[in-house]
Amino acid sequence: GELVEQRRGLGWWRTLRAAFAPDAGTGPARAALVLRDDQGHSQDIERAYRVGIRAAKREIVIANAYFFPGYRLLRDLRDAARRGVAVHLILQGRPDMPAVRWAAASLYDYLLRGGVRIHEYCERPLHAKVAVIDGVWATVGSSNLDPLSLFLNLEANVVVEDEAFAGELKDKLDRLIASQCRELRAPHAGPSTLLRNAAGVMAFHTLRRLPRLAGWLPAHATGSLLRDAGEAAQETPAQELSQARLRHS
């Protein structure tokens, strides 16, 4: 159940932290390359997001171009908001494909009514793929939070633990929210019509089954260099998480 899932996530996070590249000559920043492929890394990027979200204490800010993640990640965002974490999503308000906004909007009611704050960027199509958690943890990369990126494509993100890097990225996201986004409110998330409710139910059931459906498709593998680097990272001895971050994992 949930406890088994948390233990698996914790073990994976320890492996990821072991892959961070500390160097006494470069300062306190640590970073790791996280891949998504079908050769042992099929859910690594999603896991990085989920473990970070579950460990959050104060604030989560995610900016993503195509937002249609798995059910578990949606649940983690809503659970974080319910335990008092300020959760902000910066999403497309004027996407280059109208279906993108419709798909994301089918999830809005669930998130907004759970306390997640949604900000739509309406200046032009958005192509950001970044996140900051608690002003310390950040990720930047190629992966959207949608089925293609999380379950099918070859993707690569860099996860960084560094206050200076995360702080600068958060400042930019805060300015974007303040000056170029409009915030959606639960009463204004859209009419609660029968069609909208049915679309939300269908979306949720689809999201819950995407990992299994993706397993039926032809596998993708990264190049040998990246694959070998990922395997070498997994063989590195794991470092323990601090008790403070374990409390909410």
Side-chain angles (χ1 to χ4, degrees):
E2 184 68 19
L3 180 58
V4 173
E5 182 183 329
Q6 288 179 0
R7 286 175 176 171
R8 287 176 179 171
L10 176 57
W12 178 87
W13 183 243
R14 286 172 173 163
T15 300
L16 175 61
R17 286 177 65 91
F20 278 96
D23 186 333
T26 60
R30 300 194 300 172
L33 178 66
V34 184
L35 307 176
R36 201 235 73 88
D37 62 24
D38 293 322
Q39 301 297 315
H41 306 285
S42 61
Q43 298 181 47
D44 285 9
I45 291 177
E46 183 187 28
R47 283 174 178 164
Y49 269 98
R50 292 192 62 218
V51 173
I53 291 167
R54 294 203 305 268
K57 300 176 184 177
R58 301 187 308 275
E59 186 177 42
I60 299 167
V61 183
I62 296 174
N64 216 251
Y66 303 114
F67 184 81
F68 202 66
Y71 171 79
R72 293 177 300 178
L73 196 149
L74 287 171
R75 182 190 61 200
D76 289 341
L77 288 171
R78 181 162 166 156
D79 288 349
R82 286 181 164 177
R83 68 172 184 264
V85 177
V87 181
H88 298 269
L89 302 179
I90 304 173
L91 306 177
Q92 299 242 34
R94 294 179 56 187
D96 42 9
M97 295 182 290
V100 169
R101 188 179 186 282
W102 183 89
S106 69
L107 309 175
Y108 283 0
D109 284 344
Y110 174 82
L111 293 169
L112 288 168
R113 298 182 195 284
V116 176
R117 299 177 66 177
I118 297 176
H119 312 269
E120 287 193 332
Y121 175 75
C122 299
E123 295 291 321
R124 60 186 65 86
L126 176 72
H127 290 286
K129 305 169 184 70
V130 302
V132 179
I133 297 176
D134 288 344
V136 176
W137 185 101
T139 184
V140 179
S142 68
S143 180
N144 288 294
L145 293 176
D146 73 338
L148 287 178
S149 286
L150 294 178
F151 304 118
L152 298 175
N153 291 347
L154 302 177
E155 304 286 1
N157 275 28
V158 175
V159 176
V160 180
E161 282 191 350
D162 179 59
E163 289 188 15
F165 179 87
E168 182 174 352
L169 179 57
K170 182 181 179 303
D171 287 345
K172 293 181 183 297
L173 295 175
D174 286 345
R175 289 198 296 271
L176 187 68
I177 289 174
S179 62
Q180 295 178 280
C181 294
R182 65 185 182 99
E183 183 172 1
L184 301 182
R185 303 288 183 182
H188 304 292
S192 182
T193 64
L194 181 61
L195 178 61
R196 186 182 182 88
N197 291 338
V201 170
M202 290 179 63
F204 270 20
H205 283 287
T206 301
L207 291 171
R208 296 186 77 147
R209 289 163 176 78
L210 273 175
R212 185 180 303 171
L213 295 174
W216 297 345
L217 298 174
H220 295 287
T222 56
S224 60
L225 179 61
L226 286 179
R227 183 168 59 250
D228 292 344
E231 291 170 353
Q234 287 187 335
E235 295 171 359
T236 307
Q239 300 177 5
E240 293 294 327
L241 283 173
S242 68
Q243 291 300 317
R245 293 187 69 81
L246 282 173
R247 199 170 297 123
H248 292 293
S249 64

XYZ file of all heavy atoms in Angstrom, residues 6 11 21 63 97 114 116 118 130 178 185 196 224 234:
99
model
N 5.995 4.463 -0.184
C 6.878 5.454 0.415
C 8.269 4.887 0.630
O 9.272 5.570 0.418
C 6.292 5.941 1.738
C 5.068 6.831 1.582
C 4.516 7.267 2.914
O 5.035 6.906 3.970
N 3.453 8.041 2.878
N 14.007 4.637 -0.880
C 15.186 3.929 -1.364
C 15.689 4.505 -2.670
O 16.896 4.654 -2.880
N 26.824 14.954 -7.515
C 28.254 15.064 -7.762
C 28.880 16.108 -6.851
O 29.094 17.253 -7.256
C 28.510 15.423 -9.224
N 6.535 25.185 -12.931
C 6.151 25.797 -14.203
C 6.300 24.738 -15.279
O 7.391 24.186 -15.468
C 7.030 27.004 -14.511
N -1.371 24.556 -28.795
C -2.375 23.558 -29.158
C -3.536 23.672 -28.179
O -3.363 23.404 -26.990
C -1.779 22.151 -29.107
C -0.681 21.907 -30.126
S -0.044 20.209 -30.073
C 0.823 20.245 -28.506
N -8.573 21.506 -3.658
C -7.672 20.944 -2.660
C -6.675 21.952 -2.119
O -5.849 21.600 -1.272
N -4.511 23.894 -4.112
C -3.428 24.214 -5.044
C -3.784 25.501 -5.785
O -4.923 25.699 -6.201
C -3.230 23.063 -6.051
C -2.175 23.428 -7.097
C -2.827 21.786 -5.321
N -3.322 27.897 -9.044
C -2.974 27.753 -10.457
C -2.890 29.131 -11.101
O -3.811 29.944 -10.990
C -4.011 26.882 -11.188
C -4.011 25.469 -10.599
C -3.712 26.834 -12.686
C -5.077 24.563 -11.183
N 10.351 23.510 -15.259
C 11.178 23.729 -14.072
C 10.325 23.615 -12.816
O 9.096 23.695 -12.863
C 11.861 25.118 -14.110
C 12.711 25.272 -15.366
C 10.830 26.240 -14.032
N 3.670 37.363 -10.680
C 3.181 38.690 -10.301
C 2.837 39.558 -11.503
O 1.899 40.368 -11.442
C 4.227 39.393 -9.435
N -9.333 30.845 -9.630
C -9.943 30.547 -8.332
C -10.939 29.419 -8.505
O -11.516 29.241 -9.578
C -10.654 31.788 -7.779
C -9.748 32.995 -7.627
C -8.774 32.813 -6.477
N -7.946 34.004 -6.287
C -6.988 34.101 -5.377
N -6.735 33.084 -4.577
N -6.271 35.209 -5.270
N -18.122 18.314 -18.279
C -16.849 18.612 -17.618
C -16.547 17.570 -16.542
O -15.424 17.090 -16.421
C -16.901 20.018 -17.012
C -15.569 20.471 -16.422
C -15.733 21.853 -15.797
N -14.477 22.326 -15.264
C -13.579 23.001 -15.967
N -13.790 23.258 -17.244
N -12.447 23.415 -15.414
N 24.326 4.714 -25.138
C 25.083 3.913 -24.183
C 25.792 4.764 -23.151
O 25.928 4.366 -22.003
C 26.098 3.051 -24.935
O 26.998 3.872 -25.662
N 23.796 4.330 -9.959
C 23.015 3.471 -9.081
C 23.911 2.577 -8.229
O 23.513 2.120 -7.170
C 22.078 2.595 -9.909
C 20.906 3.382 -10.485
C 19.905 2.472 -11.144
O 20.218 1.379 -11.587
N 18.672 2.934 -11.222
